[in-house]
Amino acid sequence: QVQLVESGGGLVQAGGSLRLSCAASGRTLSRYAMGWFRLAPGKEREFVASITWSGGSTDYADSAKGRFTISRNNAKNTVYLQMDSLKPEDTAVYFCAARIETQSVYDYWGQGTRVTVSS
């Protein structure tokens, strides 16, 4: 199995920034596309951003475009989510996920890291 551990969450004021990290361990021999999702209280899970194994292609939710940046360092088995201009509506638990690049389903998920944005 692939294990994913998120870090970097915390409390920040509106307009501030946070950088989330996702470290992968375990069975990491395959090429994985990576994604970030978030879950706010009382709401459904929301896609935030994704990146291919090579880092050559990225996708963002409309709510994240222009404010968030996803990147990865495969030598360190780590994926990042840089979040700028944070808004209170960004408050959620953020999850890192991995899928085999040839598949359409994310098979592995981290336990999440909590982000709270105060106004």
Side-chain angles (χ1 to χ4, degrees):
Q1 291 185 339
V2 174
Q3 294 181 327
L4 306 175
V5 179
E6 302 94 335
S7 62
L11 175 64
V12 65
Q13 288 187 326
S17 298
L18 284 174
R19 190 193 194 199
L20 306 183
S21 298
C22 174
S25 62
R27 190 175 178 85
T28 58
L29 299 179
S30 300
R31 293 160 59 101
Y32 294 98
M34 304 294 296
W36 286 96
F37 297 78
R38 66 188 183 186
L39 181 64
K43 298 182 179 179
E44 69 278 5
R45 184 188 67 190
E46 179 185 19
F47 167 79
V48 178
S50 66
I51 188 169
T52 56
W53 185 90
S54 68
S57 181
T58 58
D59 289 297
Y60 296 93
D62 288 341
S63 60
K65 290 180 180 178
R67 299 189 300 125
F68 294 1
T69 303
I70 188 171
S71 62
R72 67 191 301 166
N73 185 333
N74 289 340
K76 299 177 65 175
N77 293 320
T78 303
V79 180
Y80 307 95
L81 184 67
Q82 177 68 42
M83 304 187 296
D84 299 318
S85 302
L86 284 163
K87 305 174 181 179
E89 50 262 46
D90 294 318
T91 295
V93 177
Y94 284 72
F95 296 89
C96 179
R99 63 171 173 86
I100 302 297
E101 201 158 56
T102 56
Q103 303 297 117
S104 61
V105 176
Y106 287 90
D107 298 317
Y108 304 100
W109 296 80
Q111 80 283 358
T113 185
R114 188 177 300 276
V115 172
T116 303
V117 184
S118 62
S119 60

